[in-house]
């Protein structure tokens, strides 16, 4: 870990809440809002989220699965995300969500008219903005946790 955490402190809570409470709590609220207020389907939401987790290398994010009323994506879903271009497991919206996440993170200047034509054929303007904000949250906070080494010491409940 690249940040000193006092004995007995939970790393994410300490860094986000105690070290920079004015920034960390706002960031945490934004991060939570992405999950609480989404209108996106679970599969496209998770395809984008997992693609960003794979790019960031955030161990915690890679292990996480969004739960919606007891429903989660299948165990093989993360592997399908790595093969989003060719997998038969995805419909057009799910494939586009993974592609958008990857291009958003790695080649945002390359989001050309051809891409936007495909995107607007499958997503409303509202959904595009929502997905963009969600991807931005995952990119920023997953990368932050990985860079600071917090992802290696935080575990999911029950693990």
């Amino acid at each position: 870990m690249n940040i000193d955490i006092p004995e007995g402190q939970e790393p994410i809570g300490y860094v986000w809440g105690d070290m920079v409470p004015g920034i960390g709590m706002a960031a945490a609220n934004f991060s939570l809002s992405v999950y609480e207020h989404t209108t996106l389907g679970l599969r496209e939401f998770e395809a984008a989220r997992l693609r960003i987790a794979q790019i960031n290398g955030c161990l915690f994010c890679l292990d996480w699965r969004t739960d919606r009323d007891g429903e989660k994506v299948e165990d093989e879903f993360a592997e399908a995300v790595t093969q989003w271009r060719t997998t038969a497991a995805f419909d057009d919206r799910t494939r586009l969500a993974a592609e958008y996440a990857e291009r958003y993170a790695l080649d945002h200047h390359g989001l050309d008219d051809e891409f936007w034509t495909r995107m607007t054929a499958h997503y409303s303007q509202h959904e595009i903005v929502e997905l963009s904000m969600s991807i931005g949250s995952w990119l920023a906070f997953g990368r932050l946790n990985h860079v600071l080494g917090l992802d290696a010491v935080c575990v999911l409940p029950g693990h």
Side-chain angles (χ1 to χ4, degrees), residues 104-158:
Y104 186 112
L106 301 176
D107 186 27
H108 63 284
H109 292 287
L111 293 169
D112 56 14
D113 290 342
E114 182 275 330
F115 171 80
W116 288 113
T117 297
R118 289 186 293 116
M119 193 68 172
T120 57
H122 294 281
Y123 284 89
S124 70
Q125 297 289 296
H126 173 92
E127 290 172 321
I128 291 170
V129 171
E130 182 179 328
L131 186 56
S132 300
M133 287 189 174
S134 296
I135 291 169
S137 169
W138 300 319
L139 182 62
F141 303 137
R143 198 163 285 187
L144 177 147
N145 288 334
H146 182 72
V147 166
L148 296 180
L150 299 173
D151 63 327
V153 295
C154 294
V155 295
L156 294 173

Side-chain angles (χ1 to χ4, degrees), residues 1-145:
M1 188 163 21
N2 299 317
I3 298 293
D4 295 328
I5 307 296
E7 189 72 33
Q9 291 285 334
E10 188 277 318
I12 293 246
Y14 177 76
V15 170
W16 285 56
D18 295 340
M19 291 186 82
V20 291
I23 299 169
M25 292 313 296
N29 286 332
F30 175 44
S31 181
L32 289 172
S33 291
V34 165
Y35 292 89
E36 291 176 6
H37 301 290
T38 187
T39 64
L40 298 168
L42 179 61
R43 292 181 68 76
E44 61 246 19
F45 185 88
E46 279 293 272
R49 190 196 62 73
L50 276 165
R51 189 65 197 120
I52 293 299
Q54 292 164 351
I55 290 165
N56 282 344
C58 177
L59 301 174
F60 181 84
C61 302
L62 287 166
D63 201 27
W64 174 265
R65 294 297 176 274
T66 301
D67 184 325
R68 293 225 188 119
D69 300 321
E71 182 183 345
K72 294 182 180 183
V73 294
E74 64 275 13
D75 291 339
E76 303 80 22
F77 192 84
E79 180 58 32
V81 170
T82 65
Q83 299 175 24
W84 63 263
R85 289 172 184 81
T86 59
T87 184
F90 289 176
D91 63 13
D92 290 340
R93 281 176 59 96
T94 306
R95 188 177 318 282
L96 269 167
E99 178 183 358
Y100 185 37
E102 181 174 301
R103 293 178 73 176
Y104 186 112
L106 301 176
D107 186 27
H108 63 284
H109 292 287
L111 293 169
D112 56 14
D113 290 342
E114 182 275 330
F115 171 80
W116 288 113
T117 297
R118 289 186 293 116
M119 193 68 172
T120 57
H122 294 281
Y123 284 89
S124 70
Q125 297 289 296
H126 173 92
E127 290 172 321
I128 291 170
V129 171
E130 182 179 328
L131 186 56
S132 300
M133 287 189 174
S134 296
I135 291 169
S137 169
W138 300 319
L139 182 62
F141 303 137
R143 198 163 285 187
L144 177 147
N145 288 334

